[in-house]
Amino acid sequence: MFRASRPSASFTLSSRMPDPIIAVRHVSKRVTDSTGTLTILHDIDFSLAPRESAAIVGASGSGKSTLLSLMAGLDVPSEGTVVVDGTDLFALDEDARAAVRARKLGFVFQSFQLLPNLTALENVMLPLELLGRPRARTDAVEMLGRVGLGERLSHYPRVLSGGEQQRVALARAFVVQPAVLLADEPTGSLDFATGEKVMALMFEMNREAGTTLVLVTHDREIAARCDRQLRIEAGRLAAPDLTG
């Protein structure tokens, strides 16, 4: 008679689900002014695995950008916490959170947020220099070449097109090899054709780097390219079946 063998220890270990690279745990955010208290986010809870991509979608004012800011530790929740690669952000003080951001997170913004007094090369070198990386210039040159700007190293943001500035921002984000890339409406300041090229490059680089991508967008086609969509409606996660 055939008897099913017991699974080996190696099989059991290899079949375990990976630990989340970022986990949002029961996060709420409230603000109070002279008119009273407004709840921006209410009990948001989900996690993302390494290499996973997620689009945060919803109407304007639903709390998407606030959620992204909390995930970065740039804002403090009223309740709950965010854990990045095993580190509880809100068990740390601001200096320690900034250190985690520098090592673990990359950022791409709608408005690019390049430093205008630095060249493209200097903008990409800066996060490496702040981390004390010994190959800052070499790595920055290589990354700018990767985004197609190898001939624009000495150019300042004011002489670069919007698409070129966003490619510099992509290079700056990926050059530190972040565990998580947070992108807030990265095509919002670009025309359709340029935005398409930038997003194709972002997804390609994300796959190559094995980074977890969290993307705030209004664009349904861009959102559909992510592994998951997390819809925020009136400050609540409207798709609990999609949470980790």
Side-chain angles (χ1 to χ4, degrees):
M1 177 184 293
F2 173 78
R3 293 185 178 181
S5 59
R6 295 178 63 185
S8 66
S10 61
F11 175 83
T12 303
L13 289 173
S14 64
S15 62
R16 286 178 55 193
M17 292 294 290
D19 292 334
I21 195 67
I22 187 165
V24 177
R25 293 304 180 215
H26 301 289
V27 163
S28 296
K29 179 65 179 180
R30 293 184 298 274
V31 295
T32 301
D33 60 18
S34 59
T35 64
T37 299
L38 172 66
T39 299
I40 301 174
L41 294 171
H42 180 78
D43 196 28
I44 304 294
D45 190 86
F46 66 91
S47 61
L48 298 173
R51 297 178 175 267
E52 194 170 13
S53 60
I56 300 175
V57 299
S60 295
S62 59
K64 303 186 302 298
S65 292
T66 299
L67 175 56
L68 205 70
S69 182
L70 290 166
M71 293 175 73
L74 294 168
D75 195 3
V76 179
S78 303
E79 281 106 25
T81 196
V82 175
V83 179
V84 176
D85 198 16
T87 299
D88 184 340
L89 290 184
F90 300 106
L92 307 174
D93 62 23
E94 175 51 37
D95 288 343
R97 286 200 298 274
V100 172
R101 281 195 294 272
R103 297 193 313 271
K104 300 289 186 179
L105 302 177
F107 300 91
V108 179
F109 302 96
Q110 177 178 338
S111 57
F112 319 133
Q113 294 199 6
L114 302 178
L115 295 177
N117 60 326
L118 299 184
T119 65
L121 178 58
E122 291 166 342
N123 266 284
V124 179
M125 287 176 61
L126 182 61
L128 295 172
E129 291 176 328
L130 292 174
L131 288 170
R133 301 277 178 89
R135 286 170 38 93
R137 183 180 182 86
T138 300
D139 290 348
V141 169
E142 290 178 358
M143 188 58 70
L144 283 165
R146 173 65 185 84
V147 301
L149 294 175
E151 303 300 317
R152 306 284 265 168
L153 303 181
S154 62
H155 289 72
Y156 290 90
R158 65 179 178 274
V159 299
L160 299 175
S161 69
E164 288 172 333
Q165 290 186 64
Q166 197 61 297
R167 281 188 280 157
V168 174
L170 281 177
R172 181 182 59 187
F174 279 107
V175 77
V176 298
Q177 300 177 314
V180 180
L181 178 68
L182 303 175
D184 193 359
E185 297 285 0
T187 63
S189 297
L190 306 175
D191 62 75
F192 177 79
T194 302
E196 285 286 295
K197 293 177 182 177
V198 166
M199 289 310 304
L201 180 62
M202 176 184 289
F203 279 107
E204 182 181 338
M205 293 178 71
N206 194 67
R207 286 192 299 271
E208 291 174 358
T211 304
T212 296
L213 173 65
V214 184
L215 171 68
V216 167
T217 183
H218 284 97
D219 190 312
R220 292 182 180 181
E221 292 186 4
I222 291 174
R225 297 174 66 176
C226 294
D227 298 324
R228 295 163 64 185
Q229 295 184 40
L230 302 170
R231 178 169 294 279
I232 305 297
E233 294 181 358
R236 296 176 182 269
L237 189 62
D241 58 306
L242 293 181
T243 59

